[in-house]
Amino acid sequence: MTLTRRDALGLAAGTVAFLTFGGKLAFAAAEETAAAISAFTGGKEPATGKITLDAPEIAENGNTVPVGVTVESPMTADDHVVSVMILAEGNPNPQVATFNFTLMSGTAEAKTRIRLAKTQNVVAIAKMSDGSTYIDKKEVKVTIGGCGG
Amino acid sequence: MADAKPRVKVPKTAAKGEVITLKTLISHQMESGQRKDKEGKTIPRQIINKFTCEYNGQPVFSCDLDPAVSANPYLEFTAKVEESGTFKFTWVDDDGSIYTAENELKVE
């Protein structure tokens, strides 16, 4: 097969279109994640520390990835964790789950199993009773995606 | 979905002021709304979108779930107990169905 000039041009245009489209999708997801974070924190930049996100480094099956969060807190009336939001940057929708704690929770610890479409960062953000927010991030490598494409 | 079956694991007894771990699971397909059937039509979303746990009518823990939570959603969390009572677990389905489970706990 010989490649004529017209074919080559068409191919090049197609590649450019594909790259732009693909790039835009990834960008939209990152922006959506940032939007979800700022909606949760009220526009403030979350600090690091206090919250620990526990997720496997490699998840063979993206359909069930065990994740856990632990937030250091005395869980008293003046100082407790209100909620923790979990986000997956590379999923079609970044929202995964939001845990709401009360004083009767005793600790701010929770575990669940989530779906991950591909290798990506999982983000956990904690909101404290005084309004401060803390963030932790972890990259999870996914062998088989869990969105049933 | 009528066959959603909740399962909970709660210790039978606890000491006063003890922080106990509760494990819950409900059988549910958590249809994400992203999948397509053989004809290429999108299968509509149907998930459990809310879970709550109460102890003697007081809220202990709740969770808002999105389609990224796995099928048969599993949740593990803690509760601090001061007196004997009953845990009430509630799962809310997208179609409005509500599934509940109750569990007694004796504080010694």
Side-chain angles (χ1 to χ4, degrees):
Chain A
M1 184 192 140
T2 49
L3 212 61
T4 64
R5 185 168 171 272
R6 184 167 294 178
D7 283 343
L9 275 176
L11 203 67
T15 315
V16 168
F18 174 75
L19 285 178
T20 325
F21 185 57
K24 224 179 202 163
L25 269 184
F27 185 63
E31 230 177 32
E32 246 178 79
T33 311
I37 292 174
S38 78
F40 184 75
T41 61
K44 277 183 286 184
E45 194 66 31
T48 49
K50 283 203 183 185
I51 182 167
T52 314
L53 173 69
D54 190 19
E57 222 166 274
I58 297 171
E60 275 183 19
N61 184 352
N63 268 312
T64 49
V65 184
V67 294
V69 286
T70 310
V71 191
E72 280 172 42
S73 165
M75 293 304 272
T76 58
D78 325 318
D79 183 7
H80 61 273
V81 182
V82 178
S83 53
V84 172
M85 182 170 69
I86 298 186
L87 297 168
E89 286 181 350
N91 273 5
N93 295 310
Q95 275 86 3
V96 175
T98 308
F99 302 129
N100 305 305
F101 298 98
T102 67
L103 295 183
M104 280 184 69
S105 302
T107 64
E109 277 180 49
K111 282 180 195 163
T112 188
R113 295 176 190 147
I114 67 169
R115 291 175 173 141
L116 296 175
K118 57 180 185 195
T119 298
Q120 57 180 287
N121 282 328
V122 178
V123 185
I125 309 141
K127 198 195 278 174
M128 310 305 225
S129 50
D130 63 0
S132 59
T133 50
Y134 296 89
I135 190 165
D136 193 19
K137 237 182 229 197
K138 209 156 190 188
E139 193 190 24
V140 180
K141 291 190 170 67
V142 177
T143 322
I144 306 166
C147 280
Chain B
M1 205 182 105
D3 55 339
K5 193 172 161 251
R7 270 183 282 168
V8 292
K9 204 170 178 186
V10 178
K12 282 194 176 66
T13 58
K16 191 174 154 54
E18 192 183 338
V19 175
I20 57 168
T21 302
L22 310 169
K23 295 172 181 179
T24 72
L25 188 143
I26 186 162
S27 54
H28 193 283
Q29 84 281 34
M30 293 291 276
E31 193 56 65
S32 67
Q34 300 280 342
R35 295 199 308 156
K36 291 187 169 64
D37 63 12
K38 278 180 196 145
E39 281 88 52
K41 277 185 251 151
T42 306
I43 305 170
R45 167 186 141 149
Q46 198 196 352
I47 65 165
I48 301 272
N49 57 48
K50 180 101 188 153
F51 167 80
T52 57
C53 170
E54 290 179 354
Y55 189 60
N56 293 340
Q58 296 284 316
V60 173
F61 174 84
S62 70
C63 181
D64 302 307
L65 294 89
D66 285 285
V69 175
S70 301
N72 305 329
Y74 168 82
L75 285 166
E76 185 181 323
F77 52 93
T78 59
K80 193 175 180 190
V81 288
E82 300 287 352
E83 56 191 2
S84 299
T86 313
F87 280 106
K88 189 176 181 207
F89 306 93
T90 313
W91 290 262
V92 183
D93 196 306
D94 269 350
D95 70 5
S97 319
I98 288 168
Y99 315 108
T100 57
E102 284 192 15
N103 225 307
E104 304 242 331
L105 177 85
K106 213 171 152 189
V107 171
E108 289 162 344

